[in-house]
């Protein structure tokens, strides 16, 4: 998350009939202004909000965008007063704010998501530095007081020690066979390595012969390991075709 300290410097834009030029200049100013946490995400303009130590992604609606623009830019309009021309401060033109919001593509960084644990980049290197990562377009926000000691050149002993740590949360689950136990570990490993995989990965399902065996708990454990939080849920609709379309690209 970029520094949110307000800058004393306010740039100016003169009102004209050229909406495109004013919109371009507005975007240019906001893209380099300190404390502006604007990002492009899936064709939407979003910002990061930090509340109670939790960082989340919020869509930027027109009133909020108008507020952000007015925080950083002074719009000036010429006015005739007693035969003299003077420049007066005015509100950001609605046409400019609407044009900026409707662009669909911006100069702001692209945001793929927020992670709370180190992950792989597409080139196989590890993302361990908090903040925005240009290569993955992810923001790494580690939990408070957390530390991740990742050796630059791990040994076989390091790998076995890590395997023991990864297996520990699942020690009390009764898997049908060692094959299913290995597949369970593959869920977390696949999720953690997903950013480094240029292509498809398997879909994992959690099944049991009876209810109450801990399928939801098991899935949530993988979510916590990979993202630091429970997995999001979507209810079934009862329509097989609609459900399939919701989980496949």
């Amino acid at each position: 998350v970029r520094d949110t300290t307000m800058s004393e410097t306010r740039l100016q834009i003169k009102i004209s009939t050229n909406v495109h030029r004013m919109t371009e200049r507005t975007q240019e100013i906001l893209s380099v202004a300190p404390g502006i946490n604007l990002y492009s995400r899936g064709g939407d303009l979003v910002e990061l909000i930090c509340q109670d130590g939790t960082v989340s992604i919020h869509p930027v609606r027109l009133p909020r965008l108008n507020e952000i623009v007015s925080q950083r830019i002074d719009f000036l309009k010429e006015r005739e007063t007693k035969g003299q021309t003077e420049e007066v401060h005015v509100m950001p033109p609605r046409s400019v704010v609407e044009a900026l919001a409707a662009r669909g593509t911006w100069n702001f960084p692209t945001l793929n998501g927020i992670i709370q644990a180190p992950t792989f980049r597409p080139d196989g290197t590890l993302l361990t530095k908090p903040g925005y990562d240009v290569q993955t377009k992810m923001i790494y926000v580690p939990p408070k007081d957390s530390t991740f000691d990742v050796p630059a050149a791990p040994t076989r002993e390091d790998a076995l020690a890590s395997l023991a740590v990864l297996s520990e949360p699942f020690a009390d689950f009764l898997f049908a066979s060692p094959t299913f136990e290995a597949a369970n570990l593959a869920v977390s490993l696949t999720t953690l390595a997903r950013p480094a995989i240029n292509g498809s990965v398997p879909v994992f399902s959690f099944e049991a012969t009876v209810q109450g065996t801990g399928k939801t708990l098991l899935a949530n454990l993988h979510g916590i390991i990979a993202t630091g939080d429970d997995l999001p849920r979507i209810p079934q609709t009862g329509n097989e075709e609609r459900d399939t379309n919701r989980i496949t690209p």
Side-chain angles (χ1 to χ4, degrees):
V1 182
R2 286 177 280 177
D3 180 22
T4 55
T5 303
M6 291 293 291
S7 172
E8 294 298 327
T9 302
R10 294 175 59 84
L11 298 180
Q12 298 178 340
I13 296 178
K14 290 186 177 182
I15 298 293
S16 71
T17 58
N18 193 325
V19 175
H20 172 74
R21 184 179 300 170
M22 289 190 294
T23 305
E24 283 286 298
R25 182 56 179 153
T26 298
Q27 179 178 231
E28 179 185 336
I29 293 172
L30 294 182
S31 65
V32 297
I36 298 297
N37 289 312
L38 292 178
Y39 296 87
S40 173
R41 178 175 167 83
D44 293 324
L45 192 60
V46 300
E47 67 175 330
L48 298 182
I49 302 295
C50 183
Q51 187 173 12
D52 299 328
T54 300
V55 179
S56 56
I57 302 171
H58 288 255
V60 177
R61 308 302 185 195
L62 279 177
R64 174 58 180 153
L65 183 57
N66 186 74
E67 179 185 16
I68 293 172
V69 171
S70 65
Q71 284 177 332
R72 296 298 179 175
I73 303 172
D74 286 329
F75 285 87
L76 302 177
K77 183 177 182 180
E78 290 187 348
R79 183 176 66 181
E80 293 285 341
T81 304
K82 296 180 179 180
Q84 295 183 342
T85 301
E86 62 176 356
E87 292 182 336
V88 295
H89 293 267
V90 296
M91 293 289 291
R94 184 177 180 85
S95 58
V96 171
V97 177
E98 290 180 341
L100 181 59
R103 287 199 159 191
T105 58
W106 298 270
N107 292 339
F108 307 115
T110 299
L111 180 61
N112 286 335
I114 299 174
I115 57 173
Q116 293 184 292
T119 190
F120 286 98
R121 297 187 179 96
D123 63 0
T125 59
L126 279 174
L127 193 171
T128 58
K129 183 179 179 181
Y132 182 78
D133 183 70
V134 174
Q135 190 173 345
T136 61
K137 298 176 176 55
M138 304 282 283
I139 291 181
Y140 173 33
V141 185
K144 186 178 180 182
D145 300 326
S146 64
T147 58
F148 297 96
D149 184 16
V150 182
T155 63
R156 176 178 173 80
E157 288 70 26
D158 291 328
L160 291 174
S162 297
L163 177 60
V165 172
L166 180 62
S167 302
E168 196 277 332
F170 309 107
D172 294 329
F173 288 90
L174 299 177
F175 295 99
S177 71
T179 300
F180 290 108
E181 187 173 3
N184 175 66
L185 295 178
V187 177
S188 282
L189 292 174
T190 301
T191 306
L192 292 169
R194 186 65 182 92
I197 301 173
N198 184 19
S200 301
V201 296
V203 172
F204 295 94
S205 64
F206 300 88
E207 301 177 356
T209 55
V210 295
Q211 293 183 342
T213 55
K215 297 187 296 296
T216 300
L217 176 60
L218 183 61
N220 280 335
L221 279 175
H222 288 292
I224 292 170
I225 290 171
T227 69
D229 206 350
D230 292 345
L231 290 177
R233 297 169 176 78
I234 55 174
Q236 286 185 291
T237 64
N239 183 302
E240 183 177 352
E241 181 179 358
R242 186 179 303 170
D243 288 336
T244 300
N245 291 335
R246 295 171 73 187
I247 62 175
T248 56

